[in-house]
Amino acid sequence: MNYKAKLLGCTAALVFSVMASGVALARDVKIVVGVPPGSGAEFGVKAFSEELKTRSNGELNVRIFPPSLLDLKQTFGGMRDGVVDGGYLVLNYFPSDLPEAMLPIELAMLGKNPYAMAGAMSEYIVTCEPCVAERLKNNQVPLGNASTGAYAILGTSPMTTEAELQGKKLRAAGGAWSRWAAAMGAVGVSLSGNEIFEAVSQGTIDGAMNAPSELTSIRLIDVATDVTTNMPGGTVHGLDVMSVNRDFWKSLSNEERRAYLDAAALGNAATTWKFVTDVADNLKMAKEKGINVHEASPEMLAKSAAVIEADLANIAKIATETHGIQDAEAKIAHFKELVAKWEGLLPMDKEWTAEEVAEIYRSEIFSKLDETKYGL
């Protein structure tokens, strides 16, 4: 017998011995985070990793892979094809693959409370049969969502009144913000996240509609002079940090799937908590740096609210004509009810910990998913 054969024989004997003794072999869970270190997504995945290890008694250990493996747009296909077991997805990037998920995403301007938006989106998706079906079709299992902080205007001049906003070119993250800008007399400009800093610094645009957490994450703190904190509002709540490859999900035991679901509640909560905390920290840093932090005038807020309400009335048409959604009006009404429910469960006038938010997500959503059936 050669050395290689002996080694294989010894390894097999060891595995058999460990299994016979009742001690489970630890298994790696490969998760890619296609954004730079320090992001809310990375924070959430790390919190999830520790929670999963504890809840699975050390049987499931997360390995986090950087953007050099898969970037944000590659992660969808990479998870579908089993390159990784899980990964950070921004669902907005995949409208043709996930038309049902686009409906609540289009309702971005409802977003004032990130914890509520993450809760509403998570509950909507995992209880919506067409939403789950479109993920299963792509060999993925949805496990809830996180949210950014509420959007502000990060610019190179004050933008708090109608006159100040007129004609300003502002980076818009999606259709809802582009439509808001047009109705308010500004111009929404579509740019990816890594293009914003250069566009603002070179004067190509006058600012960006983004959460204030972006002041440091993309270094807008070095070029912005003014921040309007209470306008336009809205959240990106289609942040998917916990979903997994369906084949991987099927390979888990019922006990491991339960551990994964319970830990996913923390992953979503911690990601959202990080975004919320970064908003507060960034606004404090902005003031210390001499950046002017404003609130929009009452007149502007009233106009903004009217614009948002009018736009919401058009979402059903957009969902039907653009994404082919059936019963769009009923689905919109359902999502609005969920937002109201979650705003009551997680009001923003309290300082929440990630663990407290996770416990509510767990009790209201994840504990109600049957690990013996869901996603299989």
Side-chain angles (χ1 to χ4, degrees):
M1 182 181 293
N2 61 31
Y3 176 77
K4 183 177 180 181
K6 287 182 180 179
L7 180 61
L8 289 172
C10 290
T11 301
L14 177 61
V15 170
F16 179 80
S17 174
V18 170
M19 293 177 67
S21 70
V23 179
L25 291 172
R27 178 176 178 183
D28 282 342
V29 181
K30 302 184 296 294
I31 297 180
V32 65
V33 180
V35 290
S39 67
E42 183 191 51
F43 182 89
V45 172
K46 285 183 174 179
F48 162 78
S49 171
E50 295 174 8
E51 186 78 358
L52 181 63
K53 186 172 183 178
T54 299
R55 287 182 177 271
S56 68
N57 297 315
E59 293 177 17
L60 296 174
N61 296 319
V62 173
R63 290 181 62 198
I64 302 175
F65 291 85
S68 56
L69 177 64
L70 296 169
D71 65 25
L72 278 180
K73 291 192 175 180
Q74 295 168 331
T75 298
F76 187 87
M79 191 192 307
R80 178 194 61 215
D81 299 338
V83 177
V84 290
D85 302 314
Y88 174 41
L89 299 172
V90 180
L91 299 185
N92 311 44
Y93 290 172
F94 312 103
S96 61
D97 294 295
L98 306 174
E100 289 287 344
M102 292 306 111
L103 178 60
I105 287 171
E106 284 282 2
L107 297 167
M109 301 308 277
L110 291 175
K112 299 179 179 66
N113 175 334
Y115 298 129
M117 296 307 290
M121 182 70 173
S122 296
E123 184 171 354
Y124 182 93
I125 293 293
V126 302
T127 59
C128 160
E129 289 186 11
C131 301
V132 175
E134 68 185 10
R135 295 301 293 277
L136 297 183
K137 182 181 177 182
N138 284 283
N139 203 32
Q140 300 171 6
V141 179
L143 297 177
N145 296 85
S147 175
T148 65
Y151 272 35
I153 300 176
L154 318 175
T156 53
S157 67
M159 295 182 222
T160 62
T161 67
E162 190 168 356
E164 290 173 346
L165 197 60
Q166 290 305 298
K168 293 295 191 296
K169 296 177 182 177
L170 301 174
R171 184 264 180 169
W177 288 280
S178 291
R179 296 190 298 272
W180 180 88
M184 298 293 284
V187 179
V189 180
S190 179
L191 292 173
S192 65
N194 57 13
E195 296 175 299
I196 299 172
F197 176 85
E198 184 176 359
V200 175
S201 62
Q202 293 183 352
T204 307
I205 59 175
D206 301 295
M209 292 180 283
N210 277 85
S213 51
E214 306 293 355
L215 283 167
T216 53
S217 66
I218 56 175
R219 301 309 304 169
L220 286 178
I221 199 166
D222 295 330
V223 291
T225 61
D226 294 84
V227 176
T228 304
T229 59
N230 59 345
M231 192 177 69
T235 52
V236 176
H237 45 270
L239 305 182
D240 188 321
V241 287
M242 291 288 100
S243 295
V244 294
N245 171 274
R246 191 183 186 186
D247 297 323
F248 163 78
W249 187 245
K250 288 179 177 180
S251 75
L252 300 178
S253 67
N254 290 337
E255 293 76 16
E256 287 170 335
R257 280 193 291 273
R258 172 44 53 195
Y260 211 103
L261 287 165
D262 289 339
L266 180 61
N268 291 309
T271 301
T272 306
W273 179 88
K274 175 65 171 168
F275 278 117
V276 171
T277 303
D278 282 352
V279 166
D281 291 345
N282 274 241
L283 288 175
K284 181 180 178 182
M285 282 188 279
K287 291 177 182 178
E288 291 171 350
K289 191 176 173 65
I291 293 173
N292 301 304
V293 178
H294 315 275
E295 289 193 350
S297 68
E299 294 78 13
M300 280 297 280
L301 287 180
K303 180 176 181 179
S304 176
V307 164
I308 290 169
E309 191 61 33
D311 186 58
L312 288 174
N314 295 321
I315 298 293
K317 182 179 179 182
I318 294 169
T320 302
E321 295 180 358
T322 304
H323 305 301
I325 302 301
Q326 296 181 352
D327 302 320
E329 290 185 359
K331 291 174 180 176
I332 289 169
H334 175 53
F335 186 71
K336 291 172 78 172
E337 289 172 359
L338 288 176
V339 171
K341 165 191 167 179
W342 281 96
E343 286 177 340
L345 288 170
L346 292 165
M348 287 296 286
D349 59 1
K350 173 181 173 177
E351 260 192 54
W352 297 93
T353 66
E355 290 74 18
E356 287 172 333
V357 175
E359 189 51 46
I360 297 175
Y361 289 167
R362 200 173 287 126
S363 63
E364 291 289 328
I365 304 170
F366 293 92
S367 66
K368 298 176 183 179
L369 296 177
D370 184 349
E371 66 274 12
T372 69
K373 298 178 181 178
Y374 181 74
L376 300 177

